[in-house]
Amino acid sequence: MGADQFPYNDERFADIQLLRYRLNGIESLTTRQKELVYYLTQATLFGRDITFDQFGRYNLRIRKVLETIYTDLRIDHTTPSFRSLALYLKRVWFSSGIYHHYASEKFTPGFTPDYLLQAMRTVDARRLPLNDGQTVDELFSLLQPVIFSPDVLPKRVNKADGDDLVATSACHFYEGVSQAEAEAYYAELKRRHADDPQPPSYGLNSTLVKQPDGTIREDVWSAQGRYANAIRHIVHWLRKAADVAETPGQQQLINHLINYYDDGDLRHFNDYCIEWVRSLDTRVDFINGFIEVYGDPLGMKGSWEGLVEYIDEEATQRTRTISSHAQWFEDHSPVDPQFRKPLVKGVSANVICAAMLGGDEYPSTAIGINLPNADWIRATHGSKSITISNITDAYNKASHGNGFKEEFVVDQAMLTLIDRYGDACDDLHTDLHECLGHGSGQLLPGVDPDALKAYGDTIEEARADLFALYYIADPKLVKLQLLPDQEAYKSQYYTYMMNGLMTQLVRIEPGRQIEEAHMRNRALIARWCLERAQHTSIIVRDNHHYLQIRDFHELRQLFAQLLAEVQRIKSCGDYEAARQLVETYAVSVDPHLHQEILQRYRQLNLAPYKGFINPVLMPVYDAQGRFADLQVSYSESYDHQMLRYSSEYATLI
């Protein structure tokens, strides 16, 4: 199949468009590298149930009930109720639970409680997730309010100012504790270890539980603790991966990860992160573990995620050019010199092809990643950044010609500019964001990395975006041949501001505020700059709103001013300033503008969210039973993949 015939677009349902990504260049890997990819892929897929449970304590049982009904031939598959249940199940698969993957709101089922009860009574009860002695009706009574009541566990992650964010969030990181109790628990833990120069990421891999006697303990996620069965399967495949590692260093980092999984000791995770940052001489790499904290309202608990990758050699020349000049970018940053890193260490960046997505990176995934998250490791040992070329390529192929830009861009001149430079600038912005933005700056001595609490994620994403926006307009990028001329950056400025001010609103339901950290970040930047700009405005033409930018240099200076303030907030741990900035610019939605944007978007008949179906990777063995090759298939349907994963990789239910 030629690249131009590759089926990037696939099924669509609800607000989701499913895409496929192509494993470009995988045939160039050696047999040993392909074997490594396969074992890491299995380790990635075995974490799926962990993510489901983390995103809501009832998710796994609800998924099992729905899948049992969906596949039972005694159920009439032609009724409107069944079709509604099928749609609901597809959304549960996509979001790893009953909450929207982006907005965190609970899905509203299109079928009734009576229909669900009758279906549960119809199927073979032995296939339902019944506890010992539990009846079908008792299981229904347990799940019915969780699924149907809008007042029971309504949001996966609540970030509303003034609420008890732990008590009002349905994510399964806390049991019986309040926000105040959780914050006090970890504050005391950090106080007792205040002199530790290499602190662990406190709370990253545990559920915080209040026991019957009122004491609070951490239930650690490990091969000996919570999620043990899933983690043991992951470890099994990691051991096989270690045996075919490309280098001794890669083998050592995999063994550090295994040690961490075995006992849950976060200092072993530090060892793994340090060795992972140092491992720069391999073609195949991976992410596997409890990593990003966006799913925790307090920004501490890591959602499980997996990614298997291999370097896109040609495209990586771009990111290596950026990383080789990291010190120049840091030295010329518009932030206060005391907040800059005097010596940038270990900044590496690759453009990669994803070979498999898992956990919190599947089906919806990031297009760029910068890790590790621990500030002291980044300062001492550096960080690694990736931009995922085959994912961005799939997004680009799916969006070309869909009418979106023509509807929302102000005029033909700007359309022409975006058509000419848009894809290249999007890729470069991601590279700058991940490679330099997240890796820039430093905390002042004694500042708690978690000082910004619930606002930390938004401030950090704003910091990285602002760094990228400021530098994408710098003549240095033209000199480095990363952009063709000094006009190109304007396409990124326009699309970024348009998105932050208007078009990202298509992802929000009427009456809702902005909740997700990346969306808050974009709104914060765009609205703050719009309020202060003399030559950037929202104009009305034919009763439609459009962004107009008449002075791009002015906008760059505003990005610089805001970057300086956001870096100060981060470096000083200024919680109140972070709160004021986010609550003032990043949360509220103009209902009239929102209604207009939604109406214009509906006329385009587009899905606001995209996600991916994984390729199927199948090992090929020779006559002696040795691994010989890796066969790639792109033909598996969404339903089949999800049901297969629930069968082959089920570990917790």
Side-chain angles (χ1 to χ4, degrees):
M1 179 185 296
D4 55 339
Q5 285 90 40
F6 185 78
Y8 289 98
N9 284 280
D10 206 270
E11 181 180 352
R12 177 175 171 177
F13 58 88
D15 56 359
I16 303 297
Q17 174 70 59
L18 290 171
L19 308 176
R20 297 181 186 272
Y21 58 97
R22 186 181 181 89
L23 273 56
N24 302 308
I26 195 169
E27 64 280 354
S28 67
L29 299 183
T30 66
T31 300
R32 186 182 182 93
Q33 288 170 333
K34 291 177 182 177
E35 186 173 8
L36 175 61
V37 166
Y38 176 69
Y39 295 149
L40 291 173
T41 291
Q42 296 303 299
T44 292
L45 296 176
F46 267 112
R48 180 174 183 250
D49 276 6
I50 298 176
T51 308
F52 267 86
D53 186 77
Q54 289 180 319
F55 286 4
R57 70 180 63 193
Y58 300 100
N59 282 338
L60 285 170
R61 300 186 81 183
I62 290 171
R63 187 190 78 193
K64 181 65 175 177
V65 167
L66 297 174
E67 288 174 344
T68 300
I69 296 170
Y70 185 67
T71 57
D72 196 299
L73 297 180
R74 285 169 287 193
I75 300 292
D76 185 349
H77 289 199
T78 65
T79 66
S81 292
F82 179 85
R83 289 194 292 270
S84 294
L85 182 141
L87 174 61
Y88 184 83
L89 174 58
K90 290 180 180 183
R91 302 187 76 183
V92 168
W93 282 333
F94 191 90
S95 298
S96 297
I98 64 173
Y99 301 92
H100 195 280
H101 74 287
Y102 215 77
S104 288
E105 304 289 344
K106 187 162 69 172
F107 298 133
T108 300
F111 53 94
T112 65
D114 285 344
Y115 175 79
L116 179 62
L117 176 58
Q118 292 307 313
M120 290 175 65
R121 288 171 173 171
T122 300
V123 302
D124 185 347
R126 292 171 297 182
R127 297 180 59 208
L128 293 173
L130 299 171
N131 292 333
D132 290 343
Q134 188 178 43
T135 67
V136 171
D137 283 20
E138 287 171 342
L139 176 60
F140 169 80
S141 295
L142 175 68
L143 300 182
Q144 187 268 335
V146 179
I147 296 172
F148 294 99
S149 174
D151 300 321
V152 175
L153 303 174
K155 296 187 69 172
R156 178 166 67 89
V157 183
N158 179 32
K159 293 189 176 182
D161 188 33
D163 287 355
D164 182 322
L165 303 185
V166 169
T168 57
S169 294
C171 55
H172 197 189
F173 296 127
Y174 306 93
E175 293 182 0
V177 298
S178 67
Q179 177 180 350
E181 288 171 327
E183 290 177 344
Y185 179 90
Y186 287 111
E188 173 61 21
L189 199 59
K190 292 176 182 179
R191 186 194 64 78
R192 293 203 308 265
H193 301 89
D195 296 330
D196 189 346
Q198 300 181 353
S201 299
Y202 293 108
L204 183 70
N205 67 331
S206 66
T207 305
L208 197 63
V209 179
K210 179 182 281 189
Q211 301 179 103
D213 64 0
T215 59
I216 296 175
R217 65 173 175 83
E218 287 187 287
D219 194 354
V220 175
W221 310 329
S222 73
Q224 313 303 321
R226 188 174 289 214
Y227 304 139
N229 193 41
I231 291 173
R232 288 170 188 163
H233 281 81
I234 294 170
V235 167
H236 168 79
W237 289 102
L238 288 176
R239 293 190 194 281
K240 295 177 76 68
D243 290 339
V244 295
E246 294 183 68
T247 65
Q250 188 180 57
Q251 184 179 59
Q252 184 173 4
L253 75 88
I254 294 174
N255 286 330
H256 281 315
L257 181 58
I258 291 170
N259 291 338
Y260 162 60
Y261 271 139
D262 278 342
D263 60 16
D265 187 341
L266 282 166
R267 297 190 185 278
H268 289 154
F269 183 63
N270 285 348
D271 295 338
Y272 158 71
C273 290
I274 293 168
E275 196 64 42
W276 181 77
V277 167
R278 291 173 176 168
S279 180
L280 302 174
D281 53 353
T282 63
R283 179 90 187 271
V284 176
D285 204 352
F286 71 101
I287 296 168
N288 188 296
F290 308 107
I291 308 293
E292 301 291 1
V293 297
Y294 301 109
D296 173 13
L298 301 186
M300 300 186 70
K301 307 293 180 183
S303 301
W304 192 92
E305 67 180 55
L307 171 68
V308 185
E309 65 194 65
Y310 56 95
I311 292 176
D312 181 336
E313 298 282 8
E314 180 178 352
T316 289
Q317 297 306 312
R318 181 183 74 236
T319 54
R320 287 177 180 167
T321 298
I322 293 171
S323 60
S324 67
H325 291 82
Q327 190 67 58
W328 184 92
F329 287 103
E330 185 76 3
D331 292 344
H332 291 81
S333 171
V335 307
D336 191 310
Q338 67 175 318
F339 305 141
R340 300 179 195 154
K341 286 181 178 175
L343 180 62
V344 178
K345 297 181 180 180
V347 174
S348 66
N350 290 316
V351 178
I352 61 96
C353 284
M356 190 62 61
L357 308 172
D360 199 16
E361 290 294 334
Y362 168 81
S364 177
T365 185
I367 58 174
I369 297 171
N370 178 278
L371 293 172
N373 288 325
D375 285 286
W376 74 266
I377 295 179
R378 300 164 77 90
T380 306
H381 301 281
S383 62
K384 282 165 70 171
S385 299
I386 59 170
T387 303
I388 312 177
S389 63
N390 56 343
I391 295 297
T392 56
D393 183 57
Y395 279 132
N396 291 340
K397 293 287 197 309
S399 64
H400 283 173
N402 64 11
F404 177 83
K405 290 180 294 187
E406 289 76 7
E407 174 60 37
F408 290 104
V409 174
V410 66
D411 55 35
Q412 185 58 50
M414 184 54 64
L415 270 173
T416 301
L417 194 74
I418 294 169
D419 286 339
R420 183 177 181 184
Y421 300 115
D423 288 352
C425 283
D426 284 346
D427 289 344
L428 186 56
H429 180 271
T430 301
D431 295 338
L432 292 168
H433 173 109
E434 299 296 346
C435 177
L436 299 181
H438 282 308
S440 67
Q442 63 178 355
L443 299 180
L444 293 183
V447 172
D448 182 355
D450 299 316
L452 303 184
K453 301 180 182 179
Y455 299 104
D457 292 341
T458 298
I459 292 297
E460 176 57 23
E461 291 304 321
R463 194 176 70 89
D465 259 356
L466 286 162
F467 198 98
L469 289 165
Y470 176 74
Y471 275 117
I472 202 169
D474 199 289
K476 180 80 168 180
L477 298 189
V478 179
K479 293 179 183 178
L480 294 175
Q481 299 182 334
L482 295 170
L483 286 178
D485 55 51
Q486 201 54 42
E487 289 293 299
Y489 81 91
K490 295 178 181 179
S491 72
Q492 184 66 24
Y493 275 24
Y494 190 89
T495 55
Y496 189 94
M497 290 289 290
M498 180 181 73
N499 189 33
L501 293 169
M502 298 192 302
T503 54
Q504 74 169 1
L505 296 177
V506 302
R507 294 185 164 193
I508 300 175
E509 294 183 5
R512 304 290 188 187
Q513 294 186 323
I514 303 174
E515 297 277 356
E516 200 275 335
H518 296 81
M519 291 182 70
R520 283 187 167 190
N521 139 54
R522 292 188 289 267
L524 188 161
I525 292 171
R527 293 170 176 179
W528 188 94
C529 291
L530 181 69
E531 184 178 281
R532 290 159 176 78
Q534 298 297 312
H535 303 287
T536 296
S537 59
I538 299 294
I539 65 170
V540 180
R541 191 174 63 215
D542 299 328
N543 295 318
H544 285 177
H545 289 78
Y546 296 91
L547 170 69
Q548 185 173 74
I549 302 175
R550 300 188 304 279
D551 187 338
F552 288 87
H553 177 73
E554 176 196 51
L555 198 53
R556 188 186 187 217
Q557 296 311 304
L558 289 170
F559 290 147
Q561 293 174 32
L562 184 55
L563 173 58
E565 172 61 7
V566 167
Q567 182 63 62
R568 184 200 67 78
I569 289 170
K570 171 86 173 181
S571 295
C572 298
D574 190 341
Y575 171 82
E576 187 55 34
R579 177 181 172 276
Q580 289 294 330
L581 200 58
V582 173
E583 293 295 336
T584 301
Y585 295 101
V587 177
S588 64
V589 175
D590 180 330
H592 301 294
L593 177 62
H594 191 194
Q595 183 180 13
E596 176 204 315
I597 298 298
L598 289 175
Q599 177 60 32
R600 292 165 67 184
Y601 191 78
R602 276 193 294 269
Q603 294 174 355
L604 299 174
N605 193 31
L606 301 175
Y609 298 99
K610 307 290 191 296
F612 292 90
I613 300 173
N614 278 327
V616 180
L617 304 185
M618 296 170 287
V620 178
Y621 299 98
D622 63 18
Q624 287 72 44
R626 296 171 301 196
F627 185 97
D629 203 355
L630 193 61
Q631 182 178 336
V632 182
S633 171
Y634 303 103
S635 60
E636 188 169 37
S637 70
Y638 177 68
D639 285 19
H640 187 274
Q641 182 160 107
M642 290 297 183
L643 290 170
R644 180 171 67 84
Y645 284 1
S646 292
S647 174
E648 295 181 7
Y649 301 102
T651 54
L652 301 181
I653 193 167

